[in-house]
Amino acid sequence: MNTASQIHSAPSLTGRAGGESVLFLELVIITVVAWVVFDPAVVNLYYRNLPLGYDTSRLLYGECTVDGEWETDEDGDLTDPYKMTEKRRQQLTRQLTEVEGVETAYLYDDRYSSIGSTSSGYLQCCNEGDTILLAHVLFIPDSRFFETYGLHPLPGSPSAEELSRIPWQEPKVVLTRSGAIALFGTADVVGRRFTLCYQPAYEVTVAGVVEDFRKALPFNQRSIILKPGTLQTTQCLFVLRLREGVDARRFVEDHGRDLIRSGKTNFARISTLMTYDDRLQQQELDDGRTQEVNRSLALALFFLLNLVLAVIGTVWLHAKRRTEECGVRRAFGATRRRLFCEMLLRNEALATAAVLIGVIIYLNYAYSGITTTEDGVTAFETLYMPMFYDLATDMTWPDHFWSHFLIVSAVVYLIILVTVLIGTAIPAWRITRTRITNALREE
């Protein structure tokens, strides 16, 4: 009986060793390639799913263009149609808020520092000898800015309505939670003072602190200083917050054309209206970010499908060579469940060892790509690092080498492990269900 067992098992052991070697080498190579393919997909998915920090489902975006000529005001002076006056601002705001379904309207200039803009502006903030760079957002006073965007003041801060009424002449600013912590080490900073490093520098008081938000999809900036300014031109932009229960996309379809057609004053007209989500997506498309994200995800999906087919095919052939061995072991009392679990555990260990070797190989390559510029900025040439102009205070795991490398490695390991287990489970289930007599006849 022992002799017969050895005769049956010797070829199987040889075939198994050869099959496992092929599978191991294949998985090592796949791990290195998978790292290159999945790195941009994982990072882009992370940034794409970061919350904006304010609700866009009830927001609309619009644009105004000049539609008038120089006119004489009540004092007999010629008035520039491009110049925004308080009377004109009130007129346009009233026209927008009188539309059925609109709750608030915020008018602003097309400046680099506004919410929704993909351009960046920064202010140097000095406190107790330390200089911190904060992202700059300008807001127009008496315009319901905080209410329209739905920014939430922290406990102990004035209400959104009070923050929106801060006069632009007063040296007061609003910070986000991350901005306050970066500058003072705490978010409880209402009433505290610091210096804006302008020329000349001047002191400002923190009027309030709001919860963190991102001003546009591509950015991870949360350390933000909000500073009051002025609305200077009638060729402005606007954001509308709809009332509760009003669907933004349906509103644009039902009222957009009528609002544009009737939204005309003696100095400006409404030329564009769309949902705020469509505006953000359009910006990503215009900046090339949409194509970059879609390309990385499509490549990752294509590679994943080929990975599944290749690994399942290799595992299937390797497992099929063990049909005779399984038949012999079942003839000597081994249960189907035990054989099935042994095949899964063996290939799980094989995949783990292969991924570990592949990750170490890529680590040597990735670590060699670390460079430091003259201003002390560290760059990882071999890791996917989209240029979001993040502040040092807002760096997240993709901006740090080891966290970036370990998280993507874990994702690669999970993908390969699941693929191998699925590729093993299907043939293993069929093989362990094969009749013993048929299994012993397999070659």
Side-chain angles (χ1 to χ4, degrees):
M1 185 178 298
N2 292 336
T3 304
S5 175
Q6 292 173 359
I7 292 175
H8 280 289
S9 61
S12 299
L13 291 174
T14 303
R16 184 175 74 186
E20 288 181 346
S21 299
V22 172
L23 179 60
F24 180 81
L25 291 175
E26 180 179 331
L27 291 177
V28 170
I29 297 173
I30 286 175
T31 299
V32 176
V33 178
W35 227 106
V36 179
V37 173
F38 286 118
D39 185 23
V42 170
V43 174
N44 280 322
L45 277 176
Y46 167 74
Y47 279 111
R48 176 57 64 87
N49 289 285
L50 282 176
L52 274 173
Y54 55 93
D55 180 22
T56 61
S57 62
R58 292 163 51 200
L59 293 184
L60 301 180
Y61 167 84
E63 299 176 0
C64 293
T65 58
V66 172
D67 190 30
E69 300 178 353
W70 286 75
E71 60 182 16
T72 304
D73 62 14
E74 57 271 17
D75 298 325
D77 298 325
L78 287 177
T79 304
D80 186 351
Y82 283 90
K83 183 179 180 181
M84 179 64 77
T85 63
E86 182 60 24
K87 182 178 178 181
R88 285 175 166 177
R89 186 176 73 86
Q90 291 179 2
Q91 179 185 354
L92 189 52
T93 301
R94 183 171 57 254
Q95 177 181 316
L96 292 169
T97 53
E98 285 178 350
V99 178
E100 183 179 357
V102 175
E103 183 176 295
T104 61
Y106 170 66
L107 306 178
Y108 64 104
D109 290 336
D110 186 13
R111 302 187 190 182
Y112 63 86
S113 56
S114 58
I115 291 183
S117 172
T118 55
S119 300
S120 300
Y122 304 96
L123 291 179
Q124 286 187 333
C125 305
C126 305
N127 180 49
E128 297 180 354
D130 295 328
T131 300
I132 303 293
L133 202 63
L134 300 182
H136 178 208
V137 168
L138 188 73
F139 70 92
I140 309 303
D142 293 323
S143 59
R144 307 198 70 181
F145 166 78
F146 291 92
E147 304 99 299
T148 302
Y149 279 106
L151 305 182
H152 304 290
L154 268 59
S157 292
S159 65
E161 293 83 356
E162 292 175 290
L163 294 179
S164 291
R165 291 196 295 267
I166 298 174
W168 68 270
Q169 301 94 333
E170 293 187 9
K172 293 183 178 180
V173 298
V174 178
L175 299 175
T176 59
R177 180 191 292 271
S178 292
I181 293 175
L183 195 57
F184 294 98
T186 177
D188 185 16
V189 296
V190 176
R192 298 181 64 172
R193 300 176 64 83
F194 65 94
T195 302
L196 287 181
C197 303
Y198 274 160
Q199 296 297 332
Y202 65 96
E203 279 195 338
V204 293
T205 302
V206 180
V209 181
V210 297
E211 290 289 356
D212 286 343
F213 66 90
R214 296 186 297 140
K215 65 175 192 172
L217 286 175
F219 297 108
N220 190 34
Q221 298 165 346
R222 302 178 305 280
S223 297
I224 298 173
I225 177 173
L226 300 100
K227 189 172 177 290
T230 57
L231 184 59
Q232 299 175 350
T233 176
T234 58
Q235 192 162 320
C236 61
L237 313 178
F238 62 89
V239 175
L240 303 181
R241 174 164 291 277
L242 301 178
R243 297 186 183 278
E244 190 73 39
V246 179
D247 181 77
R249 197 168 299 278
R250 183 67 179 270
F251 182 93
V252 173
E253 293 175 356
D254 293 346
H255 304 289
R257 291 183 180 177
D258 291 338
L259 185 60
I260 291 174
R261 184 166 52 247
S262 62
K264 183 176 180 180
T265 66
N266 60 350
F267 62 89
R269 64 183 177 87
I270 299 171
S271 59
T272 301
L273 186 70
M274 65 178 69
T275 68
Y276 201 83
D277 289 330
D278 286 346
R279 167 62 175 171
L280 294 177
Q281 293 175 8
Q282 179 184 344
Q283 283 184 323
E284 274 204 319
L285 185 64
D286 293 342
D287 293 341
R289 281 289 300 147
T290 301
Q291 297 91 323
E292 182 181 351
V293 173
N294 291 343
R295 184 168 54 249
S296 66
L297 296 179
L299 182 60
L301 180 61
F302 177 76
F303 179 81
L304 181 60
L305 292 176
N306 283 274
L307 168 66
V308 170
L309 294 176
V311 172
I312 288 180
T314 303
V315 173
W316 186 289
L317 291 175
H318 169 53
K320 202 163 175 56
R321 293 193 185 115
R322 300 187 57 198
T323 302
E324 183 184 8
E325 177 191 347
C326 289
V328 172
R329 294 189 61 187
R330 285 182 58 199
F332 282 90
T335 64
R336 291 173 174 174
R337 180 177 180 180
R338 178 179 178 181
L339 292 173
F340 180 79
C341 291
E342 283 184 0
M343 294 175 71
L344 286 182
L345 291 175
R346 184 178 290 112
N347 281 353
E348 177 186 355
L350 191 70
T352 301
V355 171
L356 181 61
I357 297 299
V359 165
I360 291 175
I361 292 174
Y362 195 85
L363 174 61
N364 292 327
Y365 168 69
Y367 203 75
S368 65
I370 298 179
T371 59
T372 303
T373 61
E374 295 180 357
D375 54 0
V377 177
T378 301
F380 314 124
E381 295 180 359
T382 53
L383 301 184
Y384 180 77
M385 300 294 294
M387 297 302 293
F388 293 150
Y389 306 102
D390 292 334
L391 301 173
T393 52
D394 295 328
M395 292 175 66
T396 53
W397 66 263
D399 304 302
H400 302 279
F401 178 85
W402 284 109
S403 59
H404 189 147
F405 184 83
L406 292 175
I407 288 176
V408 176
S409 296
V411 172
V412 170
Y413 171 66
L414 288 175
I415 291 174
I416 292 179
L417 180 62
V418 170
T419 303
V420 170
L421 291 180
I422 293 175
T424 303
I426 297 173
W429 179 266
R430 295 189 60 180
I431 290 170
T432 55
R433 262 56 185 173
T434 304
R435 297 173 62 118
I436 296 178
T437 54
N438 293 336
L440 293 175
R441 285 199 295 266
E442 288 284 343
E443 298 182 358

